[in-house]
Amino acid sequence: MPDNQEMDTPPGTLPLADTPPGTLLLAGAPIGDPGDTSPRLRAALSEADVVAAEDTRRLARLVEALGGMRPKQVVSYFEGNETERTPELIAVLLAGQSVLLVTDAGMPSVSDPGYRLVRAAVDAGLPVTCLPGPSAVTTALALSGLPSDRFCFEGFLPRKSGRRRRALEELRSEPRTVVCFEAPHRLAEMLADAADVLGADRAAAVCRELTKTYEEVRRGGLGELAKWALDGVRGEVTVVIGGATPAADPEPAELAAAVAGLVESGLSRRDAVSQVAEQTGVARRLVYEAATH
């Protein structure tokens, strides 16, 4: 299969009036082991009119590993050509042909190309569907040993330390487990910043090379993991960080003392109760009861 085949459909081609539009298929590709390819993706790779791939060479290796079925037509679709390629693919869909979007690993649009094409297809009223498949986000979450009932995905944190620390500050009180991606050469610095901002003892897991031969999951506090990463880490990395532990509500005696202090400073008891309730997050009724008993 050639690395880049040119599309037969010229940009801007309009469909015939009675031609039904084609479907955009988003496919979750293996994040490491080709054996994780779903039967639906195997079929779509040979049946789709156009396969848009983030890296056509990696797609060629996947196709070869799956037995060499030959896609009808392959084009590149990556960060550098999304803007110009999107209208071309929309024209293909309008002409009644199907487009299969495959990124290097995992699901398109999840820190990978795809959002622009999906948005354009939705805006054009074109059918969009998904062939579910592997995801580094949920795989790492499941392996981390951290709470998985609620989580948030942060993609890649900012590259520069100052901006990264500000992003981490916003996560300081986040109660949900946090999942993010990181480049291996920035991992040690990212973990060090996370340890400084979130606390060295905050539970975390570093998952690298998921589903591959040298898969590794390191679990521990952020400080411990930051020291481990100093020796260098290779491969694709997903980091999972435990959520913040909710602060315990102040005892009634503490609430009463806080109200009394504000009253002594000149506030009315009514205003003092309101201020303490706002500062502590405790219901105003409970603060009032503590201050009057």
Side-chain angles (χ1 to χ4, degrees), residues 7-94:
M7 291 187 296
D8 296 327
T9 307
T13 296
L14 296 177
L16 298 176
D18 59 350
T19 302
T23 298
L24 172 61
L25 301 95
L26 310 176
I31 57 178
D33 190 335
D36 292 332
T37 305
S38 71
R40 292 180 67 196
L41 175 54
R42 290 172 181 265
L45 283 169
S46 59
E47 295 172 0
D49 295 302
V50 176
V51 178
E54 182 179 10
D55 187 325
T56 57
R57 292 177 177 83
R58 290 188 63 166
L59 174 65
R61 290 196 291 271
L62 175 61
V63 167
E64 183 178 359
L66 296 177
M69 84 280 283
R70 184 180 176 85
K72 296 177 182 178
Q73 188 174 17
V74 176
V75 298
S76 63
Y77 187 80
F78 59 97
E79 185 178 3
N81 73 355
E82 273 185 287
T83 300
E84 62 192 56
R85 185 71 85 192
T86 293
E88 296 176 2
L89 293 175
I90 293 298
V92 171
L93 292 166
L94 287 170

Side-chain angles (χ1 to χ4, degrees), residues 260-285:
L262 292 173
V263 169
E264 289 180 8
S265 69
L267 285 182
S268 67
R269 186 165 67 179
R270 178 190 178 92
D271 290 341
V273 167
S274 296
Q275 184 168 322
V276 171
E278 183 178 348
Q279 291 174 342
T280 61
V282 177
R284 188 181 185 284
R285 175 180 58 82

